[in-house]
């Protein structure tokens, strides 16, 4: 006796067989597009072509859980999405959620948030306990002209003195020279400069400002692959994996 297979079930079986997930398992390699120029997220050593960073730890763990090896494919920011669309790689490392990108590529669920934090001299750690402590006439805030931070600090700290500097000089240099009390920068850059300059610290204030979700770029129409990555992200969130890796690289991690 012949048994009819519902069209939907047959379609799902075909999708699973042709999914990027199955292709990765069959080939034994996960191809990840990464720029290698976003410290401490992804850092490439040009002498050895070796990659390290937050993204690298995450995608290495993903490959391990898939039972495959990982191959990093050099990418540029301007062509990052195109590499997914043209099958140059299976996914990317961290990329900010952007609706222009989402027109042509899929995203995993977020696992990190790019956001802004205050950075100060370590000696002032006990002086500032909340964001509003910086909104004071005794505080000098440095920011580079023409940057997002320039308008941001004016909005956040209207009562403070504003030290607007030429774009050729970095705002943290004013902080190092004691010509500023605080700067506001992304949690990613804050991790980089506080690792480089031990006298600087991220102020111990509650919360970050202007959070933007960070996720992996994936082929838009491969729902099987997207579902797998989303389940993996959810499991690793529950286990505290992303928080541990963020701490390793000095990143302020914001749970949502």
């Amino acid at each position: 006796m012949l048994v009819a297979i519902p069209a939907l079930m047959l379609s799902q079986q075909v999708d699973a067989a042709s999914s990027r997930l199955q292709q990765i398992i069959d080939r034994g390699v996960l191809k990840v597009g990464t720029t290698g120029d976003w410290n401490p997220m992804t850092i490439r050593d040009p002498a050895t072509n070796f990659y390290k960073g937050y993204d690298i730890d995450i995608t290495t763990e993903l490959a391990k859980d898939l039972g495959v090896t990982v191959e990093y494919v050099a990418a540029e920011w301007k062509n990052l999405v195109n590499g997914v669309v043209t099958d140059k790689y299976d996914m990317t490392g961290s990329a900010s959620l952007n609706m222009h990108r989402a027109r042509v590529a899929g995203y995993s669920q977020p696992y990190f948030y790019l956001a802004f934090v205050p950075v100060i001299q370590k000696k002032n750690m006990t002086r500032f306990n909340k964001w509003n402590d910086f909104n004071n006439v005794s505080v000098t805030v440095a920011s580079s002209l023409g940057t997002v931070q320039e308008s941001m600090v004016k909005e956040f700290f209207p009562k403070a003195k504003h030290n607007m500097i030429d774009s050729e000089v970095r705002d943290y240099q004013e902080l190092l020279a004691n010509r500023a009390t605080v700067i506001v920068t992304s949690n990613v850059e804050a991790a980089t400069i506080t690792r480089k300059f031990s006298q600087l610290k991220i102020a111990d204030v509650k919360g970050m400002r202007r959070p933007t979700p960070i996720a992996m770029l994936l082929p838009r129409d491969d729902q099987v692959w997207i579902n797998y990555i989303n389940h993996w992200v959810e499991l690793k969130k529950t286990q505290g994996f992303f928080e541990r890796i963020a701490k390793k690289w000095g990143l302020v991690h914001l749970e949502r």
Side-chain angles (χ1 to χ4, degrees), residues 152-164:
M152 196 179 294
V153 296
K154 289 177 180 177
E155 177 188 342
F156 294 167
F157 318 126
K159 296 178 182 178
K161 298 173 186 174
H162 297 104
N163 178 10
M164 302 303 163

Side-chain angles (χ1 to χ4, degrees), residues 71-225:
E71 176 186 330
Y72 293 105
V73 182
E76 296 180 355
W77 288 108
K78 63 182 179 181
N79 297 320
L80 192 65
V81 174
N82 189 57
V84 173
V85 174
T86 61
D87 296 332
K88 188 175 180 181
Y89 32 78
D90 304 308
M91 61 186 299
T92 70
S94 298
S96 58
L97 183 58
N98 178 298
M99 298 318 295
H100 182 74
R101 288 171 172 168
R103 294 178 186 177
V104 294
Y107 275 99
S108 70
Q109 65 164 287
Y111 50 84
F112 185 77
Y113 287 80
L114 179 67
F116 290 89
V117 295
V119 177
I120 60 176
Q121 289 270 5
K122 186 187 292 184
K123 63 185 180 183
N124 290 327
M125 284 296 288
T126 59
R127 181 179 168 189
F128 302 103
N129 301 305
K130 54 185 182 294
W131 279 92
N132 201 48
D133 288 344
F134 297 107
N135 189 28
N136 191 293
V137 292
S138 65
V139 171
T140 300
V141 186
S143 61
S144 300
L145 289 167
T147 63
V148 171
Q149 288 94 317
E150 179 187 0
S151 58
M152 196 179 294
V153 296
K154 289 177 180 177
E155 177 188 342
F156 294 167
F157 318 126
K159 296 178 182 178
K161 298 173 186 174
H162 297 104
N163 178 10
M164 302 303 163
I165 55 178
D166 188 275
S167 57
E168 293 182 1
V169 179
R170 292 303 310 276
D171 49 6
Y172 66 80
Q173 292 174 307
E174 297 296 288
L175 195 56
L176 289 167
N178 289 309
R179 291 190 292 266
T181 317
V182 62
I183 65 169
V184 174
T185 188
S186 73
N187 50 340
V188 173
E189 183 179 46
T192 300
I193 62 176
T194 54
R195 285 166 72 93
K196 185 175 182 180
F197 304 106
S198 60
Q199 64 268 51
L200 303 184
K201 295 286 288 184
I202 299 170
D204 190 18
V205 298
K206 184 177 180 180
M208 296 188 285
R209 297 288 180 91
R210 305 282 167 80
T212 300
I214 297 294
M216 302 164 184
L217 284 165
L218 303 161
R220 183 186 61 183
D221 298 323
D222 194 338
Q223 197 59 54
V224 173
W225 180 221

